Amino acid sequence: MAKLHSIARATRDDLRARVHFCAETGQIWLHEHRMLLVHAEAQAMLRKELIDTLGMDRARGLLTRMGYASGLRDAELARTRSQDSSDVEAFMTGPQLHTLEGIVHVTPVQLQLDRMAGRFYGEFLWENSWEGQWHRRHYGQHDEPMCWTQIGYACGYTSAFMGRPILYKEVECVGMGHPNCRIIGKPVEEWDDAAEHERFFRPEPIAEQLIELQTQVVQLRSTIGEQQKLPADMIGTSPGFRQAFELLRQAGGSQITVLLSGETGSGKELFARALHAMGTRRDKPFIAVNCAAIPNELVESELFGVERGAYTGAQAARPGRFERADGGTLFLDEIGDLPLTAQSKLLRVLQEGEIERLGDHRTRRVNVRVVAASNTELLGLVKEGRFRSDLYYRLNPFQIQIPPLRERKEDISLLAKRFLEKHSAIHGKKLRGFTDKAKRALLTYPWPGNIRELQNMVERGVILAPNGSSVEVSHLFTRCGDVQPAEFGLDGDGNLDLHRWAAGKELCEAVFNGVMTLDQVEAMLIETAVDKAHGNLSAASRMLGLRRPQLAYRLKRLHEPADAEGHDGIDGPAP
């Protein structure tokens, strides 16, 4: 018991360091998950309205499942702590979070767990349960326990932590007249009446009916607006994207030459492929050419073909991209990089529908729809003399401007979700999505590389995130500070530490002015962290953002005698 209480105290202090308040955005964070401060009375009124509207059983099921989902979230934080802690230390994250979140004060009575063997038994005392107290206030004393959300939390948290279903039962409850609540948890198969309690974790038929009706409405809407349906690979609901796609749809049934304008990585080739799929040429070839990737001396042979002996190394005749795309669509990406000699030949093809292979004087008829794209303003290149004006006007009868990702905020979450599903399947991982803080970072980042950068970043997150967890900010961004506003946390007494940055500036000035050395600052931080963690090196290392071996190394150096030159022995390299 004493050891459990000591672990609980160390865990509580560690978790306080994970709570941050952002005055700039009005957001509260627990590790990477957004939290809310909610009035207990308002929550109690909502609970009462659910009971009065749905009935006791349906409300109990809904609240139990809500608590279960909350427990699953907090289990992710326990998973991050388990790398440097024992199983018991890591598990106590949940009970202490329940206390820190103001739900109930949790005191461990008995805890036996072995994650490898799947064994678990836990008994906990709940004091000051808001749910039990408010239920008794509104409905009087009951014969059954009433802390449904809290039981759901305990089941969800422990099941996720253990990797197997764990069921808790509330054997004492303040709603039944007991002075405090007491719960017992063990594997679901060890309860004789497990089925009676498990039914509250399954969605009620009314919810299933509502979902079915919602699905039917969506299907009807999609049938009504079939012409507006997006291709499978195109995602977006933002006004800018919808406007660009509507222009693309209108051009799809014609043979008009289309010019796509947009920044690098904004999806120009995807638009070109969608245009090809919409038109009558969909069964013919789609050939894509990146004009910037072809050396100037090879551009003409690549586009128009070459005859044998046309130049040194031309051992055989071969068709160019225009011939290969005959009857279909040729996509010319980065067309502004075409050399002027190739521009004149391209103009002839567009006007006459004929090509001449390099080294040949015979013309060949081609039937190709040209879609061009550029990430630079072609009219500006015309004014600079780097692009033919007649070719520009020939390519530009129908221009579509594709907006950059930073102007498509509504689409970022949809795209990120699609990329997460795609790369999770490719890399064989099951992930729980993005943390709240990661979602915020994705929405606030300016995306200079547009959709291509987003896809690459999500793939990086999929690779770095542990299987079964959520993708965090650090998995996506190498420098998290670039996408997060300044935050302040809780001090040792649990109060808001509003003056942290001012204190930090004073510390910097002390180092700059020679009052303290950098080694002394590091020693002070290490000793303070170990003291706050009551000697628990795992908890202290998390406070400092270090791994436990790194902290142990620094502590060892800190307590070594100073060397002959007067160093204090803590400035060596970290392992």
Side-chain angles (χ1 to χ4, degrees):
M1 279 289 295
K3 183 177 179 180
L4 278 177
H5 287 205
S6 176
I7 292 173
R9 285 195 300 272
T11 304
R12 181 179 62 245
D13 293 342
D14 177 35
L15 291 175
R16 283 178 178 172
R18 305 291 185 106
V19 180
H20 295 282
F21 296 77
C22 183
E24 179 182 339
T25 62
Q27 294 171 325
I28 305 171
W29 299 96
L30 173 61
H31 188 49
E32 295 237 347
H33 294 297
R34 185 174 178 180
M35 306 295 288
L36 302 174
L37 278 177
V38 181
H39 288 284
E41 186 172 359
Q43 190 79 353
M45 291 304 298
L46 173 62
R47 188 180 189 279
K48 183 178 185 300
E49 188 168 340
L50 286 174
I51 293 174
D52 294 343
T53 303
L54 301 177
M56 196 72 76
D57 269 10
R58 289 187 186 275
R60 177 179 177 179
L62 181 61
L63 293 169
T64 300
R65 293 190 295 275
M66 184 175 73
Y68 192 94
S70 180
L72 289 179
R73 285 290 187 182
D74 282 355
E76 294 180 17
L77 179 54
R79 187 182 294 112
T80 64
R81 301 184 71 248
S82 63
Q83 300 171 359
D84 301 316
S85 308
S86 68
D87 282 351
V88 172
E89 289 175 327
F91 178 84
M92 287 305 298
T93 301
Q96 290 305 312
L97 280 175
H98 228 179
T99 299
L100 186 63
E101 292 163 1
I103 306 298
V104 65
H105 183 267
V106 185
T107 302
V109 177
Q110 187 176 352
L111 179 60
Q112 301 171 4
L113 67 91
D114 185 337
R115 280 205 285 185
M116 294 296 293
R119 291 194 295 270
F120 181 87
Y121 179 85
E123 183 178 348
F124 299 89
L125 182 68
W126 280 351
E127 300 174 87
N128 302 317
S129 165
W130 81 269
E131 195 169 19
Q133 291 173 348
W134 283 91
H135 188 97
R136 184 174 179 178
R137 182 178 302 180
H138 285 138
Y139 295 100
Q141 186 169 310
H142 272 253
D143 296 331
E144 296 182 359
M146 294 295 144
C147 300
W148 304 325
T149 308
Q150 296 166 200
I151 279 290
Y153 176 97
C155 293
Y157 175 84
T158 309
S159 297
F161 184 87
M162 293 296 298
R164 63 175 303 186
I166 303 295
L167 177 64
Y168 281 85
K169 290 174 62 175
E170 192 174 7
V171 295
E172 296 178 8
C173 180
V174 292
M176 300 169 63
H178 297 109
N180 292 300
C181 305
R182 188 167 62 91
I183 63 170
I184 294 176
K186 52 187 178 180
V188 65
E189 65 272 12
E190 296 182 17
W191 293 102
D192 295 333
D193 57 347
E196 180 182 341
H197 296 270
E198 284 183 299
R199 65 189 179 91
F200 295 109
F201 295 94
R202 293 189 291 269
E204 294 291 330
I206 187 173
E208 295 174 357
Q209 294 170 12
L210 289 173
I211 292 173
E212 183 179 353
L213 289 173
Q214 185 180 29
T215 302
Q216 293 175 5
V217 170
V218 171
Q219 291 174 345
L220 288 172
R221 286 176 176 173
S222 64
T223 303
I224 294 171
E226 188 64 32
Q227 291 184 340
Q228 304 293 329
K229 188 177 180 181
L230 294 174
D233 292 335
M234 299 189 73
I235 302 173
T237 59
S238 62
F241 173 82
R242 298 298 303 189
Q243 182 180 3
F245 181 77
E246 177 59 23
L247 290 173
L248 192 77
R249 190 186 64 80
Q250 293 176 8
S254 70
Q255 302 302 316
I256 193 169
T257 301
V258 175
L259 177 63
L260 301 172
S261 300
E263 296 178 3
T264 298
S266 58
K268 297 186 290 295
E269 183 171 344
L270 193 61
F271 266 71
R273 290 184 181 276
L275 180 66
H276 174 73
M278 293 174 183
T280 57
R281 300 172 180 264
R282 65 176 67 91
D283 297 326
K284 298 297 182 179
F286 175 89
I287 304 297
V289 183
N290 188 336
C291 300
I294 305 175
N296 287 351
E297 61 272 15
L298 298 179
V299 168
E300 293 185 37
S301 62
E302 285 293 321
L303 291 180
F304 310 117
V306 62
E307 284 295 308
R308 179 180 180 182
Y311 55 81
T312 303
Q315 302 294 331
R318 58 181 173 85
R321 305 298 178 92
F322 268 94
E323 288 183 74
R324 291 164 55 190
D326 190 25
T329 303
L330 179 65
F331 174 54
L332 299 175
D333 198 8
E334 309 302 351
I335 198 169
D337 291 317
L338 270 182
L340 290 172
T341 54
Q343 291 179 28
S344 61
K345 288 195 174 185
L346 176 59
L347 180 62
R348 174 181 170 81
V349 177
L350 295 175
Q351 291 176 339
E352 307 297 335
E354 297 177 345
I355 63 164
E356 288 184 10
R357 289 183 179 179
L358 196 64
D360 191 11
H361 299 291
R362 180 165 58 96
T363 60
R364 290 175 167 82
R365 297 289 300 178
V366 290
N367 177 18
V368 174
R369 181 180 192 177
V370 172
V371 179
S374 176
N375 64 354
T376 57
E377 181 56 53
L378 289 183
L379 192 57
L381 298 180
V382 171
K383 294 177 181 178
E384 296 172 9
R386 296 165 53 195
F387 201 84
R388 293 178 61 106
S389 60
D390 47 2
L391 177 59
Y392 169 73
Y393 292 113
R394 187 67 182 80
L395 290 170
N396 195 29
F398 198 97
Q399 183 174 3
I400 299 176
Q401 181 70 40
I402 302 174
L405 188 56
R406 63 180 173 276
E407 296 177 7
R408 297 173 53 186
K409 293 292 187 182
E410 301 94 327
D411 302 337
I412 292 175
S413 297
L414 298 174
L415 289 164
K417 182 180 179 182
R418 172 63 64 87
F419 295 148
L420 182 68
E421 293 171 352
K422 172 183 175 181
H423 291 292
S424 294
I426 291 174
H427 295 284
K429 282 192 171 182
K430 291 185 178 180
L431 298 174
R432 301 178 60 83
F434 300 94
T435 65
D436 296 331
K437 190 168 286 189
K439 292 175 185 177
R440 182 186 70 174
L442 290 172
L443 292 173
T444 56
Y445 184 64
W447 299 112
N450 291 294
I451 297 175
R452 185 180 297 124
E453 183 183 14
L454 172 61
Q455 181 166 200
N456 293 340
M457 193 172 290
V458 171
E459 183 174 17
R460 164 194 162 89
V462 169
I463 293 172
L464 294 180
N467 201 18
S469 68
S470 298
V471 179
E472 301 181 359
V473 177
S474 60
H475 300 146
L476 298 170
F477 297 88
T478 55
R479 297 179 59 187
C480 300
D482 293 340
V483 292
Q484 297 184 47
E487 299 172 348
F488 52 89
L490 298 177
D491 61 20
D493 298 322
N495 300 315
L496 293 180
D497 189 5
L498 299 175
H499 306 292
R500 185 180 65 172
W501 298 114
K505 290 179 180 178
E506 293 177 4
L507 185 60
C508 291
E509 291 298 325
V511 175
F512 298 153
N513 296 332
V515 178
M516 297 182 69
T517 66
L518 193 59
D519 292 340
Q520 289 172 331
V521 172
E522 183 179 5
M524 180 179 66
L525 286 171
I526 289 173
E527 291 176 343
T528 303
V530 173
D531 183 63
K532 286 177 66 66
H534 306 289
N536 186 318
L537 296 190
S538 296
S541 63
R542 286 189 292 270
M543 293 180 191
L544 296 169
L546 300 173
R547 291 183 292 109
R548 192 182 186 283
Q550 290 177 311
L551 177 60
Y553 174 85
R554 284 167 167 79
L555 274 173
K556 180 180 177 182
R557 297 295 300 271
L558 178 62
H559 293 100
E560 286 179 353
D563 58 27
E565 297 181 0
H567 295 128
D568 58 9
I570 65 168
D571 57 350

